Amino acid sequence: MFAASLLKNIAPGVDIEVVEEHFKVKSGVSGTAMKIAETLDIETENINSVRAGGIVGKREVIFGFPYQTVRLVHESISREAFGSGALFVAENLKSKLKGLYNFEDILRPYFFAQTPDMLS
């Protein structure tokens, strides 16, 4: 979502579609896909859902430019990824002050690391 919002800020008028894939018995559009649509300010009609086999989870955001497309894809191939993600967040919260944080707050320093050159 964070990378997708950065791209949307660069190209606000671009066509955007979301494709989300999950296991066969998962019903309805996933909450993650809905959150992506909300974050990118697109209609839920731009979400395409696929249900097949034992897919753990895949989300793809397609940015359709006039002569090219850019695709951001996240695919979970094992549910273990969710535990690893929780550990990543916990590690990064240790050095923060008490408060409420979202995942963007955790990721931002990795995208915009401040170097001494940037501070002058």
Side-chain angles (χ1 to χ4, degrees):
M1 282 184 265
F2 186 66
S5 8
L6 289 174
L7 187 52
K8 173 137 190 219
N9 286 338
I10 293 168
V14 70
D15 295 330
I16 302 173
E17 291 287 322
V18 175
V19 179
E20 56 104 9
E21 301 176 9
H22 286 283
F23 52 94
K24 185 76 173 174
V25 295
K26 182 172 182 69
S27 62
V29 175
S30 73
T32 303
M34 297 295 280
K35 183 66 176 170
I36 291 169
E38 178 186 320
T39 300
L40 298 178
D41 195 27
I42 62 172
E43 299 296 322
T44 54
E45 291 81 30
N46 296 91
I47 300 173
N48 306 278
S49 298
V50 174
R51 300 292 179 262
I55 298 169
V56 175
K58 180 178 179 181
R59 276 114 351 246
E60 179 176 15
V61 183
I62 304 167
F63 293 86
F65 293 90
Y67 304 106
Q68 61 188 333
T69 58
V70 174
R71 296 168 183 261
L72 300 175
V73 179
H74 173 262
E75 183 171 9
S76 298
I77 56 174
S78 168
R79 295 191 186 288
E80 291 177 19
F82 306 130
S84 299
L87 290 174
F88 172 81
V89 169
E91 268 305 307
N92 281 273
L93 284 175
K94 287 192 314 189
S95 61
K96 298 220 179 280
L97 298 174
K98 287 183 181 182
L100 183 61
Y101 298 92
N102 62 33
F103 200 56
E104 182 178 320
D105 298 326
I106 302 300
L107 290 179
R108 183 173 295 281
Y110 290 95
F111 280 86
F112 302 106
Q114 298 231 344
T115 63
D117 294 342
M118 293 173 71
L119 298 175
S120 53

